[in-house]
Structure formats: C-alpha cells, structure tokens
Amino acid sequence: MQEADIIVVGVGAMGSSALYHLSKSGANIIGLERFKPGHDRGSSHGECRMIRKAYFEHPNYIPLLNRAYELWDDLNSQVPQPLFHRTGLIIYGPPESPLIEGIDQAASEHDLPIEKINAAGGQDRFPHLRVPAGMTGRYEADGGYLEVENTIRAYAELAEENGVTLINNCELLDWKTIKDKVQLETSQGTFQAKKMIVAGGAWNAGILKLPKIPFKVHRVMQFWFASNSDYTAQNGFPSFAFYLPEGFYYGFPGLNNVIKVAQHAPGAFMEDPDQLNPMPLPEEVAAIKKAVKTLLPDLPSTPVRHSACMYTMTPDQHFLIDHHPETDNIIIAGGFSGHGFKFSPVIGEILSELSLTGQTRHSIDFLRWRWS
C-alpha cells in the first residue's frame, strides 16, 4: 500500500493546478489520473478556452478572477511559451440582454476597463466579424484565450519537478474512510492518505457515491474552420462571443490556418461518461454552419475538424468547492464546465489550502454545498 498526506484524484484542469500548489508545501502528494494529463476524453481539451474579467455570471467570481490572472502570469513566467494570450475580447449582444447588462454591472462594481462599442464601430474595427443588427459590443483588452492541454501538462510537470508522484492510467475503483484516513482501491493498487481531493470532472458523481450530488454531464461539440492570416491575433483578430437568439456562440483567433468556433450550451445528458460519442449530430453541424455564415461570412462554413467534450454542471451552473458532506477527509471540486477553466490556477490554490489547513483565504461561500 502506498501512503501520502494528500491524494488528488483527477489530473485535469483543477487537479493539475492543485498538485502544483500542493507541491510547494513539502507534503507527500500523489496524483492519480485515469488517463494521462492533457487527454481528450473529458472536459479540458480542444486547444483553447476563453478568459475575461467582466463576469456577468456572478460578481463574486471577480475577486477569484483577479487572483487567477496573477497566477496565469506566474505560470507564463515558468514555461518556455506563453499559455495565456491577451488577444482582446469582443462580446456582442442586445443592449437589454442579461449578457450586456451583466458585463456593465460587473465593470461598474469592480472598476474594470471595458470599452463600449456600437455595431458600426465594431464592424469597422473588426471587419471580419459580421455584427447582426440591434447588437452592441463590449471590448475587454485584457481578455483572450488560454491553451488547455498545454496548461494541464505544464502544471503536472512542474508538480513532478517539485516532488509530487503522478500515476497515470490509474482508475479509482472504490474508497472508504478508516479512522482519520481515506483508503483508495485502484487499478494500480491500494493507496491511503489523510486527505483526498476529488477533481474527476465527468466522473465525479460516480466517484463520490452521493445519491443527491447535483452533477449532470452533457455532451458538447467544438468545431474548427479553415481560415487565413486575416483571422490571427498577430493581425488584430480578437477572441469573440455573440449572444444570438439561437444561442451563445464564441470563437478565437486562428491558429495553423484554422479557427475554432463553438456554441456554449449543454448538449444531451449523458448517463455514462465512458460512452462519449465523438461524432457530431446533423443538427449540431447545421447550427454551427448557420452561425459561421452569420458571424464569419468570408469563411467556408463547413467545419474541417471537430471534437466532443463533456460539460459537468450543477443546477445553478456555479462551481462546487467544499468538503464532502459526510467527511472532512475529502474535498470536492466540480461543476466547472462551461466557464471554469480560466479559474483553474486559483481553484488549485483553494484546493491546496483546504486540504492542508481546512480553510482558504478566498471567499467561496457562494460555491459551497447548497443542496439538501
């Protein structure tokens, strides 16, 4: 049996960050990963994710974002190539929409530098993005995109360099508490630790064995389209998002002659995360082709590549970060899909603090267990 002070189950976005922060503590830390860091079987893959500060979802996220930005810059300083790219972010929506009103409220309450751009001004500034009638824009110069798989691998590698033991291809089969410890049965043997952090993404519900745990897993598609140098960050093309009547669509500057565009919406509910269908449905292709024709009319609207991932969400779409309701030996981290990746550096810091001391410096009461 292998023993540790803290075991992290799941070395994805949050788990890899937690391992990195824990690696600075001097404690004996083990990370168990079902596949290997940066895999394409879960929620954190597809090359890039968006980052922004003017957070319409809830104002309490913004202090966490401020810290996340500091930690992204710290990570950038430790890797050969940057993982956080400040390309600027333009978001369009109807003036009365929750999106625009939420951005304005967040910017006002937290003194964030947001530029208001009308449709005509946005069309002149970013001519390759077609602005639908009746839309207004909000531009955030400090927004941009993050490299997903490379971030996870970087955090995992930095953690290992600091002495963390990482075990790949290790499936958690069962666990139980024994006095003041957690014992784990895995495909690679038995482990025991004082604390266990569960950051298993789509597999969290099965791992935690809580009948009322509120995680639901949804299948979501990502698409890529052929592009050219006009759509690169080097030529001023930004990260972008549009609040359309038919859905919320977003995309990024082109890389390697393709541009990524996707819809932010939970797809079909999945009973079993091991049964992810990688192929897009005809209606999913039709919806993304229509959006590209509307928003990026100079691009071919037939995708050249696609990828399926899983959204793991709570009923209110806010994260869950808390101790297991039945034991303080286990810390739960989940429900991040759709808007969590940008927070991964600070979530890792929070999980590290909770597992080492039982508390965190960060205000996360709105993210704790809130279901009867």
Side-chain angles (χ1 to χ4, degrees):
M1 177 164 46
Q2 295 190 55
E3 297 196 7
D5 294 315
I6 302 167
I7 289 177
V8 177
V9 177
V11 187
M14 310 308 165
S16 64
S17 174
L19 286 178
Y20 167 70
H21 288 286
L22 286 166
S23 74
K24 297 183 283 185
S25 69
N28 179 12
I29 310 298
I30 295 177
L32 304 180
E33 169 52 47
R34 183 185 179 97
F35 305 107
K36 63 180 181 179
H39 65 82
D40 64 354
R41 300 285 298 281
S43 302
S44 295
H45 62 93
E47 296 182 354
C48 48
R49 292 290 189 277
M50 193 169 287
I51 185 167
R52 54 194 168 87
K53 276 190 181 180
Y55 225 63
F56 60 88
E57 288 88 343
H58 197 296
N60 288 357
Y61 281 110
I62 294 176
L64 298 178
L65 278 167
N66 289 334
R67 177 58 175 160
Y69 266 69
E70 295 173 353
L71 293 170
W72 278 114
D73 287 336
D74 177 69
L75 180 60
N76 264 2
S77 72
Q78 298 186 64
V79 294
Q81 300 293 328
L83 300 168
F84 173 15
H85 301 266
R86 285 177 168 86
T87 62
L89 167 64
I90 182 68
I91 298 181
Y92 290 104
E96 307 296 322
S97 66
L99 173 74
I100 296 299
E101 290 183 348
I103 291 173
D104 289 347
Q105 180 182 356
S108 175
E109 289 184 9
H110 293 273
D111 195 27
L112 301 175
I114 299 297
E115 182 181 352
K116 296 181 179 181
I117 301 177
N118 61 29
Q123 195 67 70
D124 290 342
R125 189 162 172 180
F126 306 113
H128 298 291
L129 286 172
R130 183 68 50 81
V131 184
M135 295 237 170
T136 187
R138 300 294 183 266
Y139 180 73
E140 187 172 345
D142 215 22
Y145 73 89
L146 309 161
E147 297 187 17
V148 185
E149 294 93 338
N150 290 338
T151 292
I152 294 169
R153 295 186 190 109
Y155 267 143
E157 290 168 5
L158 289 169
E160 286 190 289
E161 290 173 7
N162 289 342
V164 164
T165 299
L166 175 58
I167 302 176
N168 293 323
N169 304 306
C170 183
E171 181 181 357
L172 177 60
L173 304 175
D174 198 8
W175 62 267
K176 60 184 177 181
T177 55
I178 301 177
K179 294 184 180 179
D180 61 343
K181 293 187 177 181
V182 183
Q183 183 168 304
L184 297 79
E185 300 297 334
T186 81
S187 59
Q188 296 201 37
T190 302
F191 298 80
Q192 196 170 86
K194 298 173 185 175
K195 301 283 185 178
M196 175 172 72
I197 296 171
V198 178
W203 289 268
N204 266 357
I207 291 171
L208 290 164
K209 300 187 290 188
L210 286 169
K212 293 184 178 179
I213 197 160
F215 296 135
K216 285 192 174 181
V217 179
H218 304 263
R219 174 183 167 281
V220 179
M221 293 303 302
Q222 308 170 85
F223 296 92
W224 286 259
F225 298 82
S227 65
N228 57 45
S229 61
D230 291 339
Y231 296 85
T232 62
Q234 291 85 347
N235 284 328
F237 191 81
S239 301
F240 62 89
F242 286 83
Y243 190 84
L244 301 177
E246 55 268 36
F248 186 77
Y249 288 87
Y250 65 95
F252 305 92
L255 296 169
N256 301 317
N257 296 316
V258 293
I259 183 171
K260 179 180 174 180
V261 185
Q263 183 181 12
H264 169 54
F269 172 67
M270 295 182 58
E271 291 282 357
D272 184 356
D274 287 319
Q275 300 300 317
L276 177 64
N277 175 14
M279 299 304 296
L281 303 175
E283 57 266 32
E284 292 170 328
V285 175
I288 199 69
K289 289 179 70 172
K290 180 181 178 182
V292 169
K293 285 181 180 178
T294 300
L295 306 174
L296 300 150
D298 296 330
L299 289 184
S301 62
T302 299
V304 296
R305 183 155 57 92
H306 61 264
S307 177
C309 72
M310 292 181 282
Y311 272 23
T312 306
M313 306 177 76
T314 63
D316 60 13
Q317 299 188 17
H318 296 307
F319 313 152
L320 171 57
I321 307 171
D322 206 349
H323 289 90
H324 191 290
E326 297 174 3
T327 173
D328 285 342
N329 296 89
I330 298 173
I331 295 122
I332 302 170
F336 299 104
S337 297
H339 66 120
F341 189 86
K342 64 183 74 66
F343 293 89
S344 55
V346 69
I347 300 300
E349 185 172 68
I350 290 167
L351 296 173
S352 173
E353 292 172 349
L354 288 174
S355 59
L356 291 168
T357 70
Q359 55 190 358
T360 176
R361 78 190 86 168
H362 299 287
S363 298
I364 61 166
D365 284 349
F366 76 114
L367 303 176
R368 292 188 183 273
W369 189 276
R370 51 199 178 272
W371 301 274
S372 58

